[in-house]
Amino acid sequence: MNTKIVPVAVYPSVANTLTIRSITLGPPPSYFYQLENVEVIPGTPAVPGTTEQLDPTTGEVIVPATPEIPATPDTTTVVVLKNGNVNMTIDQWDNWAAGPESEDDDYQLNCISANLGLTRA
């Protein structure tokens, strides 16, 4: 699981993403965490090719044809700045409400972010 966080200085850069993985089920559960700097560099759109242009009187090529330039995908760079282990507190464990699994990720990310002193973006 991962979440964007309010950027925080972590030598030698700035972390903008928190990733967690459960390592024990508890109670309370333990997690392996990573503070990461994630940058997405946008790709480039495709550029259509052109056809050659001929001189109407002589038929000579005035402007040569150019090939199509294909699009390039976005590039994502992830730099791990810090990692370690962190636990959910007993109070957090006790207050983990039974509900849809879809809410579990948010609850865990909120708890671990708070325990690490981070704010989710």
Side-chain angles (χ1 to χ4, degrees):
M1 293 175 272
N2 64 42
T3 185
K4 295 285 185 193
I5 58 172
V6 173
V8 59
V10 178
Y11 181 81
S13 187
V14 174
N16 60 11
T17 303
L18 168 67
T19 299
I20 64 173
R21 283 185 226 91
S22 178
I23 54 176
T24 66
L25 298 177
S30 296
Y31 298 85
F32 173 78
Y33 76 90
Q34 290 186 162
L35 293 177
E36 305 164 338
N37 179 287
V38 178
E39 291 184 32
V40 178
I41 300 166
T44 56
V47 177
T50 61
T51 57
E52 64 185 10
Q53 294 179 5
L54 303 176
D55 184 315
T57 56
T58 64
E60 291 183 28
V61 175
I62 300 172
V63 178
T66 58
E68 177 181 339
I69 300 172
T72 60
D74 292 350
T75 303
T76 302
T77 303
V78 177
V79 177
V80 176
L81 301 171
K82 184 176 181 179
N83 61 34
N85 297 327
V86 62
N87 294 332
M88 189 180 280
T89 67
I90 291 293
D91 285 342
Q92 290 167 332
W93 172 256
D94 290 343
N95 292 322
W96 192 347
E101 270 188 48
S102 60
E103 296 173 4
D104 286 351
D105 288 358
D106 274 339
Y107 185 77
Q108 292 173 78
L109 287 165
N110 286 336
C111 291
I112 299 308
S113 294
N115 293 354
L116 292 170
L118 304 171
T119 303
R120 291 182 69 188

